[in-house]
Amino acid sequence: ECARIAVGSRMIINATSRQLEALFEAWAVTPGGKLYRWDADSMDPQAWVLQSVSVAPVAPATTPVVVSVVKDVSISSDGMLCALTNEGKMISYDWSKHASTSEAKWSYVNAGAANVALSLSRISVGNVNSIWALDGEKKRIYQLGPDGWQARTNEGIGISVAAGLDNTVYAVNAQKRLFVWKNEKWDLQAKASVIGFHSVSVGDARHVIAFKALGAEHQIWQFMPDEKDVEKQWKRFDGV
């Protein structure tokens, strides 16, 4: 059983052809906070492998930190893999140490001097330069910059955020309306049908999925980028 699953890829150099090729990656977090990785080469049909999470120490500490509970995980199509510790701190994975059995493979990401107490609940990695997060308790959305996390909403505003490979970013606000990040600000998707969402997922600008929960009914809505009528750009995934 998974509480969270992340699918992406990473690039390697093929040992025979010496050409770059993409390897599929899938990671998951269980409801109990255990982190698993899909082993595509395993003979086991249930090829989810439990991962140990050892994080490189931050000076002056010298001993790696073993993280026993993970809150969230996200991986992009360019191989940027990040996770959240139970304390809401983001860590990133070093693929150059993937085969190592002795080194810490994870490192804490600089949150910024002003964000020492920040505790995140969700992350979304679009690419190595587009990493977003949600403080679910305070309903505030953040973007990772060179100096750490930058707030992109006030408190009480955001309930979901998702980043795509091409830097497309969507969010859902507390009123369950959809917004897209454009020109350093949030642009309301102010269509009559685009209300009532609780979360969103982004592949790129042309591939956006949003989710509604109407009582016991759960709906999936899809963005239709080629639809000229703005009132019809969002439709039920099942064709309704």
Side-chain angles (χ1 to χ4, degrees):
E1 183 181 1
C2 293
R4 193 76 164 171
I5 190 165
V7 176
S9 60
R10 61 186 174 99
M11 303 302 294
I12 66 165
I13 298 178
N14 185 288
T16 302
S17 67
R18 308 306 298 171
Q19 299 294 314
L20 278 175
E21 64 179 42
L23 290 185
F24 171 80
E25 287 288 337
W27 294 68
V29 177
T30 69
K34 300 300 182 184
L35 182 65
Y36 284 80
R37 175 176 178 261
W38 177 260
D39 183 359
D41 297 323
S42 174
M43 293 180 64
D44 187 342
Q46 302 298 326
W48 288 100
V49 179
L50 179 64
Q51 301 293 298
S52 61
V53 181
S54 180
V55 186
V58 177
T62 58
T63 304
V65 177
V66 177
V67 174
S68 58
V69 177
V70 172
K71 291 169 65 173
D72 197 15
V73 65
S74 182
I75 184 171
S76 63
S77 295
D78 62 356
M80 187 65 184
L81 172 64
C82 297
L84 287 181
T85 69
N86 196 43
E87 295 75 32
K89 308 303 180 185
M90 195 174 82
I91 54 178
S92 63
Y93 192 81
D94 186 345
W95 287 106
S96 69
K97 300 176 181 178
H98 182 62
S100 174
T101 58
S102 59
E103 298 177 280
K105 301 175 185 179
W106 297 84
S107 299
Y108 286 105
V109 173
N110 176 31
N115 299 314
V116 174
L118 180 62
S119 179
L120 301 170
S121 54
R122 286 287 182 264
I123 51 172
S124 181
V125 182
N127 58 59
V128 67
N129 295 311
S130 181
I131 301 175
W132 293 70
L134 172 71
D135 178 345
E137 181 178 347
K138 295 183 178 180
K139 293 184 173 63
R140 175 176 273 182
I141 291 171
Y142 290 85
Q143 180 185 18
L144 187 65
D147 298 318
W149 293 110
Q150 297 175 288
R152 293 306 190 189
T153 68
N154 293 325
E155 287 188 15
I157 300 296
I159 62 173
S160 178
V161 65
L165 181 62
D166 61 351
N167 297 316
T168 298
V169 180
Y170 275 76
V172 181
N173 74 350
Q175 287 69 47
K176 300 184 178 180
R177 303 296 296 269
L178 268 174
F179 291 75
V180 64
W181 183 253
K182 287 184 178 180
N183 302 318
E184 298 295 303
K185 65 177 184 177
W186 293 108
D187 181 27
L188 174 65
Q189 300 296 286
K191 316 301 184 290
S193 62
V194 190
I195 58 175
F197 294 107
H198 63 80
S199 62
V200 62
S201 181
V202 179
D204 55 37
R206 297 182 60 83
H207 300 90
V208 185
I209 298 291
F211 305 88
K212 288 185 181 183
L214 304 175
E217 181 184 7
H218 293 267
Q219 299 178 357
I220 300 175
W221 286 63
Q222 181 181 14
F223 179 59
M224 311 299 291
D226 296 324
E227 175 58 62
K228 303 303 182 183
D229 185 344
V230 294
E231 294 297 331
K232 297 179 180 179
Q233 285 182 335
W234 287 89
K235 64 181 294 186
R236 286 274 298 272
F237 190 70
D238 59 6
V240 175

